[in-house]
């Protein structure tokens, strides 16, 4: 009996390069839908404090340096300097490369000079302010002539720019309202400032066939190498309950395809409709939880906006793929996908309104002018370990005790209550890593290491095959969910947390491929979990 609760603290180490080979991708037309953002009063998405949007933090002359740490003595020196000067780590403290943001006022200090004289370093970003807008993005959005524009979220235009917390909330509400039989809104809890940590539960149902027959679908079926696989061809049912039958006629039906069709359905097909009443969903499916917008050791997802963008894209692809793609349909019939775009809601809003580099939550601390706990360093596993700080003014403040941060406590309780979680993936940035347990202790090997590594390597290859980005497969934190991973998204340091908007869509597409591979791997490997 597998236990189904998890804790997560990222610590990178022992990375193993996963070599994969790129495949060509065809750009395929998608169905067109739009939505108009509509604010719903019963979902609190606004700031409850009295702070107004007026100035936006500037970082003139600040640099991001990459240190090449080669031994333990250098690592201890760098760690002591970070703690003493309250510096902002952009990557994990480890033997290897470590990225560090250094304010202009401290560049000539004795501490920084001692580090740069001892440890070889490279300037990754010469002036951080060049990548940060002079005006608050939230204020810019308010002043926009079309603040409530109609978004077309199926032709990917929604993923050509980053979106604030309110817009992500509206996107979620729209998907729930448009697809009520497939998508349910879930609430993890409320933050210190009163915002709801929301998400989507996406789960279909498995239609029982009167006649069981061997699959001969026109979808590519990658189950042929699994002897004894009992997968059957399933009728694909449209959202209105009508049965969808593949035909080759050019005049009947609609083309149904999307970017991931190259994985499972190389040629777009057409459908005609035959009325069929859908059955009710099965109870208690196994759950796969995907979330972003928390924080990673040395990487703050609140300020790394790529995470929420990527997981919302995956939600869209799953929803629109259901009953239009056999693989997506099969996965959603078997698993419940719980997708939480932003875990640290208060911190995410603060990056839009006041400080692009903010990384903690907004809870009060023992020092009034130093608010915020680092949620990811507040989990119970290795609490207070290397890379965290007991100083409330430090960016890596771990809090007074484990689970003092509301976000980590609420997510832990959410998983514990459900008792059906079989996979947990926490998305961060940056570094291009797909990590499995245990990053905090290299001597500890998970009992399911072979399955975890095989699934991770396959997901990294599937991800690489989309746009040619190489992801290393390494170690993550403890997790009592078998398939527990931490994924560091693009890039490897050129832009760091400031990934340009033209990277959103390709990053989303490749990550979707990796998640689909992982879910399909679990479906085939863990036969006992089938509905």
């Amino acid at each position: 009996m597998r236990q189904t609760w998890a804790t997560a603290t990222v610590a990178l180490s022992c990375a193993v390069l996963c070599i994969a080979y790129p495949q060509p991708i065809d750009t395929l037309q998608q169905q067109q839908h739009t939505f108009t953002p509509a604010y719903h009063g019963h979902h609190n998405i606004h700031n409850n404090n009295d702070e107004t949007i007026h100035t936006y933090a500037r970082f003139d002359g600040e640099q991001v340096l990459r240190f090449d740490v080669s031994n333990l003595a250098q690592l201890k020196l760098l760690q002591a300097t970070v703690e003493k000067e309250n510096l902002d780590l952009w990557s994990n403290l480890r033997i290897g490369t470590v990225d560090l943001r250094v304010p202009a006022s401290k560049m000539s200090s004795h501490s920084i000079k001692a580090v740069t004289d001892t440890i070889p370093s490279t300037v990754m970003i010469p002036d951080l302010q060049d990548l940060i807008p002079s005006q608050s993005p939230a204020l810019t959005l308010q002043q926009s002539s079309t603040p409530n524009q109609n978004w077309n979220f199926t032709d990917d235009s929604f993923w050509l720019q980053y979106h604030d917390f309110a817009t992500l909330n509206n996107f979620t509400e729209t998907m729930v309202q448009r697809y009520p039989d497939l998508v349910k809104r879930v609430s993890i809890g409320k933050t210190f400032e009163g915002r709801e940590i929301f998400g989507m539960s996406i789960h279909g149902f498995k239609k029982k066939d009167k006649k069981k027959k061997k699959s001969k679908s026109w979808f590519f079926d990658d189950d042929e190498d699994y002897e004894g696989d009992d997968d059957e061809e399933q009728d694909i049912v449209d959202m209105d309950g009508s049965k969808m039958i593949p035909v080759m006629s050019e005049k009947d039906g609609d083309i149904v395809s999307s970017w991931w069709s190259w994985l499972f359905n190389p040629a777009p097909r057409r459908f005609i409709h035959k009325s069929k009443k859908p059955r009710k969903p099965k109870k208690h499916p196994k759950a796969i939880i995907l979330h972003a917008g928390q924080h990673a050791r040395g990487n703050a997802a609140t300020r790394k906006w790529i995470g929420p963008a990527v997981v919302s894209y995956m939600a869209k692809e799953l929803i629109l793929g259901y009953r239009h793609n056999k693989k997506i349909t099969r996965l959603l019939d078997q698993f419940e996908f719980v997708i939480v775009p932003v875990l640290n809601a208060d911190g995410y809003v603060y990056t839009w309104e006041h400080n692009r580099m903010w990384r903690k939550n907004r809870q009060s601390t023992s020092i009034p002018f130093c608010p915020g706990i680092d949620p990811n360093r507040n989990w119970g596993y290795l609490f207070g370990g290397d890379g965290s700080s007991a100083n409330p003014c430090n960016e890596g403040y771990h809090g007074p005790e484990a689970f003092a941060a509301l976000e980590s406590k609420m997510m832990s309780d959410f998983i514990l209550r459900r008792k059906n979680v079989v996979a947990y993936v926490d998305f961060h940035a940056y570094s291009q890593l797909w990590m499995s347990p245990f990053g905090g202790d290299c001597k500890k090997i998970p009992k399911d290491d072979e399955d975890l590594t095989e699934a991770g390597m396959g997901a990294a290859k599937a991800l690489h095959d989309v746009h040619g980005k190489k992801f290393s497969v390494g170690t993550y934190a403890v997790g009592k969910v078998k398939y527990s991973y931490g994924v560091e998204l693009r890039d490897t340091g050129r832009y760091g947390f400031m990934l340009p908007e033209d990277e959103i869509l390709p990053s989303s597409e490749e990550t979707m491929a990796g998640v689909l591979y992982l879910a399909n791997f679990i479906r085939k490997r863990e036969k006992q979990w089938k509905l």
Side-chain angles (χ1 to χ4, degrees):
M1 188 79 180
R2 289 177 172 80
Q3 295 180 348
T4 55
W5 61 276
T7 58
T9 308
V10 173
L12 310 179
S13 62
C14 311
V16 180
L17 182 62
C18 171
I19 301 176
Y21 301 92
Q23 300 287 337
I25 303 172
D26 295 325
T27 302
L28 301 172
Q29 183 181 4
Q30 292 182 310
Q31 293 175 296
Q32 304 296 303
H33 301 282
T34 60
F35 78 92
T36 301
Y39 292 88
H40 302 277
H42 60 286
H43 295 307
N44 191 337
I45 58 176
H46 302 292
N47 195 337
N48 288 344
N49 60 31
D50 296 328
E51 193 170 9
T52 57
I53 304 172
H54 48 89
T55 59
Y56 201 53
R58 296 187 60 86
F59 301 88
D60 298 281
E62 298 200 7
Q63 296 185 343
V64 177
L65 305 180
R66 172 164 291 180
F67 292 91
D68 187 9
V69 181
S70 58
N71 56 60
L72 188 59
Q74 291 180 347
L75 181 62
K76 289 183 176 180
L77 172 63
L78 185 59
Q79 183 177 7
T81 304
V82 169
E83 179 71 17
K84 177 183 177 181
E85 300 290 345
N86 282 334
L87 299 177
D88 180 15
L89 278 166
W90 277 36
S91 68
N92 203 48
L93 274 172
R94 62 184 183 269
I95 294 179
T97 58
V98 178
D99 295 350
L100 183 66
R101 175 169 67 90
V102 181
S105 60
K106 296 185 178 182
M107 287 297 296
S108 58
S109 70
H110 294 295
S111 298
I112 299 300
K113 192 173 186 306
V115 172
T116 55
D117 287 346
T118 305
I119 308 173
S121 62
T122 305
V123 177
M124 298 298 292
I125 300 178
D127 190 341
L128 184 58
Q129 187 57 43
D130 290 343
L131 302 178
I132 294 178
S134 57
Q135 178 175 272
S136 157
L139 184 60
T140 301
L141 187 63
Q142 288 181 5
Q143 296 173 346
S144 171
S145 59
T146 57
N148 293 323
Q149 71 183 88
N150 290 337
W151 292 104
N152 188 331
F153 60 87
T154 58
D155 71 349
D156 297 330
S157 62
F158 188 71
W159 288 271
L160 297 180
Q161 65 185 77
Y162 294 113
H163 296 287
D164 67 347
F165 186 73
T167 304
L168 292 175
N169 177 73
N170 292 329
F171 168 76
T172 299
E173 278 293 290
T174 299
M175 300 304 261
V176 170
Q177 293 171 14
R178 186 179 292 276
Y179 306 103
D181 294 333
L182 181 65
V183 186
K184 306 297 180 186
R185 186 182 180 101
V186 296
S187 179
I188 310 299
K190 287 196 173 182
T191 67
F192 178 76
E193 293 181 342
R195 296 182 178 87
E196 180 192 24
I197 301 175
F198 60 85
M200 285 177 274
S201 168
I202 309 170
H203 175 56
F205 60 90
K206 194 168 186 178
K207 179 183 174 296
K208 293 182 179 179
D209 291 330
K210 293 182 180 179
K211 276 188 176 182
K212 293 186 178 182
K213 54 185 177 179
K214 190 174 181 180
S215 175
K216 50 184 178 182
S217 170
W218 34 260
F219 286 95
F220 172 69
D221 193 340
D222 60 356
D223 296 344
E224 294 177 359
D225 58 339
Y226 280 80
E227 186 176 347
D229 195 339
D230 58 356
D231 292 329
E232 303 160 6
E233 184 180 33
Q234 300 175 22
D235 293 323
I236 309 302
V237 182
D238 203 355
M239 295 304 301
D240 60 4
S242 59
K243 181 178 176 182
M244 305 188 71
I245 305 172
V247 295
M248 296 303 296
S249 169
E250 290 294 323
K251 62 181 180 180
D252 293 325
D254 304 315
I255 293 181
V256 180
S257 57
S258 70
W259 74 266
W260 36 255
S261 293
W262 68 274
L263 278 173
F264 302 131
N265 179 24
R269 302 294 179 178
R270 300 175 180 275
F271 297 92
I272 58 175
H273 296 265
K274 179 180 177 182
S275 179
K276 191 75 175 180
K277 185 178 180 180
R279 294 179 182 269
K280 292 182 179 179
K282 291 216 173 189
K283 294 182 179 179
H284 308 301
K286 297 300 183 182
I288 296 174
I289 294 181
L290 313 173
H291 78 75
Q294 179 190 203
H295 172 77
R297 285 188 179 272
N299 298 297
T302 54
R303 60 185 173 186
K304 188 58 178 178
W305 295 349
I306 188 63
V310 166
V311 297
S312 63
Y313 177 89
M314 289 190 289
K316 181 266 294 186
E317 289 290 283
L318 289 171
I319 293 167
L320 298 186
Y322 189 65
R323 298 178 183 140
H324 294 293
N325 178 281
K326 181 177 180 181
K327 293 293 183 180
I328 296 286
T329 302
R330 178 184 289 163
L331 291 173
L332 286 178
D333 281 343
Q334 181 166 345
F335 298 110
E336 173 195 14
F337 284 79
V338 179
I339 297 180
V340 181
V342 183
L343 186 60
N344 183 0
D346 292 347
Y348 187 76
V349 170
Y350 199 80
T351 64
W352 276 79
E353 295 182 350
H354 303 288
N355 185 338
R356 183 67 176 84
M357 290 294 104
W358 187 261
R359 89 189 213 175
K360 300 187 286 185
N361 66 14
R362 297 292 299 167
Q363 281 182 238
S364 298
T365 68
S366 58
I367 300 180
F369 54 84
C370 291
I373 299 172
D374 178 348
N376 200 69
R377 286 170 177 163
N378 186 245
W379 293 76
Y381 176 65
L382 296 182
F383 174 77
D386 292 342
S388 65
S389 173
N391 179 2
C393 295
N394 190 282
E395 293 285 355
Y397 177 51
H398 53 54
E401 61 183 357
F403 299 110
L406 295 177
E407 294 80 6
S408 58
K409 175 61 174 173
M410 286 186 290
M411 177 55 75
S412 177
D413 289 347
F414 178 76
I415 296 171
L416 185 61
R417 287 194 307 268
R418 297 183 70 85
K419 300 181 180 179
N420 67 335
V421 181
V422 297
Y424 173 89
V425 187
D426 187 5
F427 292 94
H428 302 279
Y430 56 95
S431 286
Q432 295 179 194
L433 295 168
W434 192 289
M435 302 172 291
S436 59
F438 293 93
D441 185 355
C442 288
K443 297 178 181 179
K444 192 172 183 179
I445 300 175
K447 64 179 181 180
D448 301 307
D449 182 61
E450 184 177 345
D451 287 346
L452 284 166
T453 301
E454 183 179 349
M457 295 284 281
K461 183 183 185 305
L463 190 153
H464 178 281
D465 286 350
V466 179
H467 292 296
K469 291 291 183 181
K470 292 182 179 180
F471 273 59
S472 297
V473 178
T475 54
Y476 182 49
V478 66
K480 293 188 178 181
V481 173
K482 176 175 178 178
Y483 293 95
S484 178
Y485 296 95
V487 177
E488 300 281 357
L489 302 168
R490 295 189 182 192
D491 57 7
T492 56
R494 169 63 182 86
Y495 294 101
F497 300 132
M498 309 305 298
L499 196 69
E501 290 181 325
D502 60 9
E503 298 263 13
I504 298 173
L505 189 55
S507 182
S508 300
E509 291 170 344
E510 65 197 14
T511 307
M512 180 66 182
V515 168
L516 288 181
Y517 178 91
L518 173 63
N520 208 39
F521 178 93
I522 297 171
R523 180 185 66 82
K524 294 185 291 187
R525 179 60 56 90
E526 308 294 343
K527 297 291 186 179
Q528 73 275 16
W529 291 342
K530 285 197 172 184
L531 294 179

